[in-house]
Amino acid sequence: MPVVQPGTDRFKTAFKAIEIARFLTHCQQQAIQANQAKIASLAFSIPPIPAWAVLSNLAGAHQRHFYYDPPQCRVTQAATVGLGVVVGCSTAGPTRFARAQAFIRFWQDQFVYADTTLSESTQGRFFCSATFFDGAVVSAEPICFEPAYTFVPQIQVTTQAGASAVVFNCLMTVDSDIEQLIAQIYRQLRSLTITAPLGAAKGASQTMLSKDVANFEGAVRAVLRQVHSGKLHKVVLADVMDVVAPQAVNVARSLQMLRQNHPDCTVFSVGNGRGQSFIGASPERLLSIVSGQLTTDALAGSAPRSPVPGTDIQIAQSLLSSDKERYEHRVVVDFIVRQLRSLGLNPTYAQAPQLLQLLHIQHLHTPITADLSDRAVSPLDILAKLHPTPAVAGVPRGVACQLIRQYEAFDRGLYAAPLGWIDTQGNSEFVVGIRSALIDGVRARLYAGAGIVAGSEPAKELAEIKLKLQTLLNALV
């Protein structure tokens, strides 16, 4: 992988234009011979650049993007940003994940790499997002995101352990203009290696509240009547807070602030190419596949943190011993295990949950693992089985989703839905889009939810989502 240093002349000598032209011509010839477009993938090593700064340097408001920055404790994983679309696929309906997986399988075979010694940072990635429901929701609000969208980016920047790699993906056909592609690569390399990153985020902007969560308690009481009648065991209700800022919310700076405030979460942003971005800091990993090993997290049952050590310990012990919270958590564990077994997998997990303690909140947490090495199971096969889990929908799933549609007076969109990536080697990671906000210029819609089961108290559930909303609001800059 060529090393690119700052400065116009240096990176031109690092990988001469004639070498790039030779590789792109080779790919174009392959495309012509196969009568099928190919994706030419070139990787460069560049000076380290924070993932959020890539958006500031290169992304335009009307350019699709995907930003994925895993918890800082996972030192083996890298922050990745994808910009622009080489090839993309929009799907909807009950088969949306299967058709997205077919799209990925096809294009995985069309990659041609300039560097055959692939590392995690230089493998091509497919970025995927999906809405909570699989089709259009009857709503007066505009629809911002497709039911499922999968794409290969034009530019992919990965930063890990003080080093960054930029991958350029070029769609090669008989009509591709190689000279124009080379000029574009050089121009974008300059933007990445010369432009200085943004300074430290200063804090939240002053905002004006335009819609609060005033009706949430009433919805909880109505759902509890359904729970007590025996129609279902659990439903996850969410509500939104709408705010207006004095100036357009800066997505790059807000992501920087989310990373500062939530080092233990996956910070993400999905841009639809039409000016809206869905951002957040998720504590919930839906699935991770590394070298054929699957890990998924059961995360349900929550309590606040306390700055007083003794009080914090007491809250944690109360959470671990709470029958209500343990029941809510067990429902999620049983669901995930049952769904994985339906795919022929043999999941393993601890019988008792552990604590996942974040800066502002703590959860009951059970990691669940399975070996995929001898199974023809794809990441999106698993996703289709798991989404939505009881942690974001309820049990039974169908009844819970009906009640969500009935009592939530807004479209969830990407809220509580899967967001992630799959690479050309089959590795992948998806999180659940919670602790999140939809950004549209000066306007922001913040989402938060809580699991309602027998024993839930409306006032306490309201306090839980207000805590989540306020934490998110503090990150908007």
Side-chain angles (χ1 to χ4, degrees):
M1 181 170 58
V3 177
V4 177
Q5 298 296 334
T8 302
D9 296 330
R10 291 184 181 179
F11 72 71
K12 279 198 174 184
T13 60
F15 195 177
K16 295 179 181 178
I18 191 169
E19 297 179 60
I20 301 176
R22 186 179 296 120
F23 170 68
L24 294 179
T25 300
H26 167 70
C27 294
Q28 188 175 48
Q29 290 171 347
Q30 287 197 30
I32 293 170
Q33 291 170 3
N35 194 28
Q36 169 59 52
K38 299 291 182 180
I39 299 175
S41 188
L42 304 96
F44 298 81
S45 177
I46 62 173
I49 180 171
W52 50 264
V54 175
L55 289 182
S56 176
N57 289 6
L58 288 184
H62 296 286
Q63 182 183 42
R64 196 177 284 268
H65 76 256
F66 198 104
Y67 173 104
Y68 194 92
D69 188 2
Q72 292 184 330
C73 61
R74 296 187 203 161
V75 294
T76 60
Q77 295 189 6
T80 304
V81 182
L83 303 172
V85 178
V86 174
V87 291
C89 175
S90 175
T91 58
T95 62
R96 56 179 173 160
F97 294 125
R99 286 185 285 142
Q101 187 64 55
F103 167 82
I104 291 172
R105 284 198 183 103
F106 177 81
W107 284 104
Q108 278 175 330
D109 294 334
Q110 311 311 323
F111 271 82
V112 183
Y113 290 100
D115 183 355
T116 57
T117 58
L118 295 178
S119 64
E120 178 189 354
S121 62
T122 59
Q123 291 177 20
R125 288 189 177 182
F126 297 81
F127 294 103
C128 311
S129 61
T131 55
F132 186 86
F133 293 108
D134 62 16
V137 176
V138 178
S139 171
E141 302 168 356
I143 303 301
C144 295
F145 293 92
E146 301 89 343
Y149 190 79
T150 306
F151 73 101
V152 174
Q154 294 173 333
I155 307 170
Q156 175 182 309
V157 181
T158 302
T159 299
Q160 178 182 19
S164 294
V166 56
V167 175
F168 294 97
N169 296 313
C170 307
L171 189 67
M172 304 305 301
T173 68
V174 65
D175 299 319
S176 296
D177 186 329
I178 291 176
E179 288 187 3
Q180 183 178 356
L181 289 172
I182 294 172
Q184 181 178 324
I185 288 171
Y186 283 150
R187 184 170 59 252
Q188 291 164 335
L189 273 174
R190 287 192 192 98
S191 298
L192 285 169
T193 57
I194 294 176
T195 305
L198 292 173
K202 303 298 184 183
S205 305
Q206 183 179 2
T207 56
M208 179 180 69
L209 184 66
S210 61
K211 179 190 177 301
D212 204 353
V213 292
N215 299 323
F216 185 73
E217 283 185 279
V220 172
R221 282 191 285 270
V223 164
L224 278 173
R225 288 193 289 271
Q226 303 285 339
V227 172
H228 294 150
S229 71
K231 291 184 178 180
L232 77 168
H233 299 292
K234 172 185 176 179
V235 63
V236 179
L237 275 185
D239 208 339
V240 295
M241 176 189 290
D242 290 335
V243 297
V244 179
Q247 58 188 13
V249 176
N250 188 308
V251 171
R253 286 189 180 273
S254 296
L255 292 171
Q256 182 191 14
M257 182 63 75
L258 283 170
R259 170 47 68 225
Q260 291 178 7
N261 294 349
H262 303 278
D264 37 23
C265 292
T266 295
V267 177
F268 60 83
S269 176
V270 182
N272 65 4
R274 299 186 299 277
Q276 293 88 31
S277 296
F278 182 74
I279 73 171
S282 176
E284 186 169 351
R285 178 176 55 182
L286 186 57
L287 68 86
S288 173
I289 299 174
V290 180
S291 300
Q293 297 299 308
L294 166 70
T295 302
T296 181
D297 294 332
L299 198 71
S302 306
R305 300 296 305 275
S306 171
V308 180
T311 303
D312 195 50
I313 292 173
Q314 289 178 352
I315 294 173
Q317 291 302 317
S318 296
L319 177 60
L320 284 169
S321 60
S322 167
D323 290 339
K324 180 257 184 185
E325 302 293 346
R326 291 287 289 261
Y327 170 75
E328 183 179 344
H329 185 78
R330 173 52 60 179
V331 166
V332 177
V333 172
D334 290 346
F335 170 85
I336 293 175
V337 169
R338 186 167 60 251
Q339 296 300 92
L340 293 180
R341 285 174 177 164
S342 74
L343 290 169
L345 302 177
N346 183 28
T348 60
Y349 57 99
Q351 290 301 310
Q354 58 194 43
L355 280 177
L356 177 63
Q357 294 186 304
L358 309 178
L359 287 179
H360 308 288
I361 197 168
Q362 50 195 325
H363 303 279
L364 296 180
H365 175 221
T366 298
I368 301 169
T369 61
D371 184 6
L372 305 180
S373 56
D374 61 346
R375 299 284 180 178
V377 178
S378 71
L380 293 187
D381 291 335
I382 300 170
L383 205 65
K385 285 288 188 180
L386 294 183
H387 174 73
T389 71
V392 293
V395 178
R397 185 160 59 176
V399 177
C401 286
Q402 289 176 4
L403 292 177
I404 288 170
R405 288 180 181 271
Q406 179 178 349
Y407 289 107
E408 290 182 359
F410 61 95
D411 178 13
R412 284 196 172 194
L414 297 185
Y415 170 70
L419 313 165
W421 55 266
I422 301 171
D423 70 20
T424 53
Q425 308 302 306
N427 302 305
S428 70
E429 182 162 303
F430 283 82
V431 295
V432 180
I434 55 176
R435 313 290 198 273
S436 48
L438 176 64
I439 309 299
D440 187 3
V442 298
R443 298 184 178 277
R445 166 162 285 186
L446 285 59
Y447 303 81
I452 312 303
V453 297
S456 292
E457 300 177 30
K460 288 185 177 180
E461 303 302 337
L462 176 62
E464 179 180 330
I465 71 163
K466 282 193 169 184
L467 171 65
K468 295 171 182 175
L469 290 167
Q470 185 60 49
T471 301
L472 185 59
L473 181 62
N474 292 339
L476 299 185
V477 292

